[in-house]
Amino acid sequence: MQPDGLIAELQNKNPKAFERIYERYSESLFGVIYNIIRDQHIAEEILQDVFIKIWNNAEAYNPSKGRFFTWALNIARNSAIDKTRSKAFKNSKKNLTADFFVDILEDKSSFSNRVDAIGIKKYIKALKPYCEQIIELLYFKGYTQAETAEELDTPLGTIKTRSRNCIQSLRDILVK
Amino acid sequence: MNIQEYISSGVLELYICGALTEEESKEVSTELKKHPEIEKEVEEIENSLDQLSSSVAPYNPTKLFAIIKNKLHLEDNPKTIPIHREKKKTNIVLYLGWAASIALLIGLFSVLNDRNQLRENLNVVNAQKSQMEQQINDTKASAEKKEELLAIFRDKNIVTVPLDGQEVAPEAYATVHWDQETKKVYIDAKNLPTPPEGKEYQVWSLTLEPLTPTSIGMLSSFTEDENKIFMLENNNLSQAFGITLEPKGGSKTPTMEQLYTLGMVKNS
């Protein structure tokens, strides 16, 4: 459930609501940022900035335009991508790997208890190769449908059905 | 709308990822409010993606919240906000601060004053401008009218009858331009004296033998009309025209003692 009451309280600048929102969304946004940045320390800094933006701009979130999750996701992805474009970052990370989120998960052994670790590991093993790319671009990198279609040289409609299938299989595994 | 088809189209996945256009996203938000099945589906997609990216995170960053709270100066318990008063700064700094504020304030006032002055000037100029525009329009209208009249006077169908001054006003004279086709007469009364209060000029068409005067109208608003040219209808087979001064509203028969001008129609 989207915590609508909590979001409204956040927009009223209630610090308690802010803390609950942080607990609810921070790990997920941290993952998105880390996947783009691949540096734990910088990712921590960006996560802080992202939540400072969420607090300061909370009233800009409009439920009729989309989910709060998506709104926060956009802030996180944009902040991380902005960072990768900064000179200092480029100098320190000359060859940013073209790795996907999957590579992080393959090496990872410890997960927080918010996550169904066994399910995720199972999912990564069973993942179709095109799902790696589609989920990477659409969800982790924030490509639009059209941009994804162009990047993967695939028709627009195919992107739609494939992203449905890829996320559906994730859901199947996590529910079990 | 077929809800199952909508759900399986894949639009909801793109919606959560933020991959739709703003317009498309709004549409999904609307559908989601109408159909609980769609909302449930959206929740499930969101939860699975939430878990997926959470599993990518190096760790659950709970401890970082304290730093964020600190950066934003958020307090857990707003009732016990500690008040730190630093020792009094040197008076000079304080005075300098005040002096700077006052100087700034004076500056602001003078700017404000100048601005008001400018605005006033602008208003005056604007008023002058609209006055001049009015004058130009008036002149234009008057010029148009004159041109119209000139065209009438140049028309070959027009019979011009000069009316000479009579006993009451020997210097007075007027001209009648009679368009026999349209049955209209134009009275040029520029050289009639301004009528006294309560009086008006009345124009008469005359037929001779026997002398029969027929009123063809009043020269109303004589003072206001700048051109002093008046248009009247004339259906008579006039042989002469006369202008008399009559009480306001006119008389049934001309007051001969107040006959100002009189003229015969030639070749009739």
Side-chain angles (χ1 to χ4, degrees), chain B residues 105-121:
Chain B
L105 215 61
I106 292 168
L108 273 177
F109 270 120
S110 90
V111 167
L112 211 66
N113 214 24
D114 282 355
R115 194 163 146 271
N116 283 341
Q117 189 62 48
L118 279 175
R119 186 173 287 172
E120 228 162 78
N121 289 349

Side-chain angles (χ1 to χ4, degrees), chain B residues 83-96:
Chain B
I83 298 168
H84 304 285
R85 269 276 159 87
E86 283 186 34
K87 268 189 244 164
K88 272 195 178 173
K89 298 229 167 104
T90 40
N91 280 342
I92 290 176
V93 174
L94 195 67
Y95 289 140
L96 273 176

Side-chain angles (χ1 to χ4, degrees), chain B residues 115-133:
Chain B
R115 194 163 146 271
N116 283 341
Q117 189 62 48
L118 279 175
R119 186 173 287 172
E120 228 162 78
N121 289 349
L122 190 66
N123 283 342
V124 170
V125 170
N126 271 340
Q128 283 173 347
K129 183 171 159 256
S130 61
Q131 239 172 33
M132 283 173 79
E133 275 171 356

Side-chain angles (χ1 to χ4, degrees), chain A residues 22 44 48 67 108 139 171, chain B residues 46 53 55 57 59 61 71:
Chain A
Y22 181 82
E44 284 168 353
Q48 292 168 26
R67 301 283 287 181
K108 206 177 164 187
Y139 178 61
R171 283 164 61 187
Chain B
E46 193 182 278
S53 51
S55 66
Y59 59 92
K71 281 185 179 171

